Amino acid sequence: MWKKVVCTYIALVVIFTSLIVAVFAIPNSAVRDNVIVSAEQIDSEGIFFRVAGCPLWQIDNMTDCMMLNMNVDAETASPLHAAMVNEYGKNFSGNRGYFDMAKDTRLLAEKGRGAVAEQFCYARYWHGYQVLLRPLLTVFTYYQIRIINYILLFSLAFVVLFLLWVRYSPQTSILFGISLLLFGFPVVPLAIQFSTCFYIALLAMIYVVKRRPTDKELPIFFFVVGAVTSYADFLTTPQITLGLPMVVLIREFREFKEFRKVILLMMFWFAGYSLLWATKWVLADIFTDADIWSSVAGNIALRTSSTVITGGVETSIWTLLADKVILILAACVVVAVPCMYVYRKRSYIKDYGTLLAVALIVPLWFVLLKNHSIQHIFFTWRAWIVTFYAFSLFVLLTLKLKRQ
């Protein structure tokens, strides 16, 4: 098993590096025109556009625009360097720089790197989404890519719903459909950043249902899923790529009522996720002069801290919560009701308790990455689909409905 893990790790490093370098060999001239049109489209819509005015349906056009920005800011004469440093350019630091991201991206596309005042290094991420985004930008604009995104993501979602209905029960499928709707899936395809983890999670669910991997295959499977997540994701909702396939796995195999097996597979996912991410830091350090380790250390300290920035002012999370008594009381009720149900059904924990373990992935993640989870709550909240679906399935199974 460990030989397989090592071989898989080496293969993934080679594949990941080759792909990201290859796409940055595409000249900027091939994407320039579509980036100009795309930046104009985003600017007209707004950097932080809210669908129907709902805060939890806010679309992160700023990050998507940053992704476009990297495509015209890249120094493609050295594809390896461009792929490792992942630079983007803007004229202003702070909030103004983010709000002017669309304008600065258009300037970059029209006039080149000299049109902006500063270059920012984003080397701590792989930016593997560019493997698809950059070639697409040679043909399509941002809005056209959105349409493609809608068709593909909803097609995958319907495939999963169909498989759950046929393989297990209508209730299992309906619960997942409700989960998708409650946690804002209909607006996910509007943002490339939001979509990556849903692609990985849905494809992983299909694999588990159709392939029915064996005990020997599962550790490598979760290792690869974790690795691909760190490659493609911007730290949006990585928990769903672990939690949703795990829920299906528990539903598929009765033997996965053993906590030991579930925890072991979670560890393999985390190993793939963390090892491949850390490998990008090492490669960036080797092939560039970027100060990658300061960036990594600083962001780990920030994202695990108890402070957030609101209105440009750094504030303690606990200070913010202290003023929201109603919110705290509502949260207590939300936590108390499931706990009471679990206590009443404690005799079933031996059979279905592993679903509860999966449900705890997201709250534990939020506790560990407090700053990131709260600062970016407008997209991190979707990760709670894992908790909701896992617990809902626990309720379904313990109610002993027909066709379980």
Side-chain angles (χ1 to χ4, degrees), residues 113-127:
R113 288 167 65 94
V116 294
E118 296 182 82
Q119 299 296 322
F120 294 83
C121 175
Y122 221 155
R124 65 181 180 272
Y125 289 100
W126 273 103
H127 300 279

Side-chain angles (χ1 to χ4, degrees), residues 60-73:
D60 194 0
N61 281 343
M62 190 283 296
T63 301
D64 274 15
C65 196
M66 186 188 295
M67 295 174 177
L68 300 175
N69 188 304
M70 290 178 191
N71 277 281
V72 287
D73 195 55

Side-chain angles (χ1 to χ4, degrees), residues 214-230:
T214 64
D215 279 356
K216 291 183 178 180
E217 296 171 326
L218 282 170
I220 299 299
F221 168 72
F222 276 97
F223 183 89
V224 171
V225 171
V228 173
T229 302
S230 70

Side-chain angles (χ1 to χ4, degrees), residues 21 41 239 276 289 337 357 371 385-386:
V21 171
Q41 291 170 338
Q239 309 94 313
L276 269 296
D289 57 358
V337 172
N371 165 275
I385 188 175
V386 172

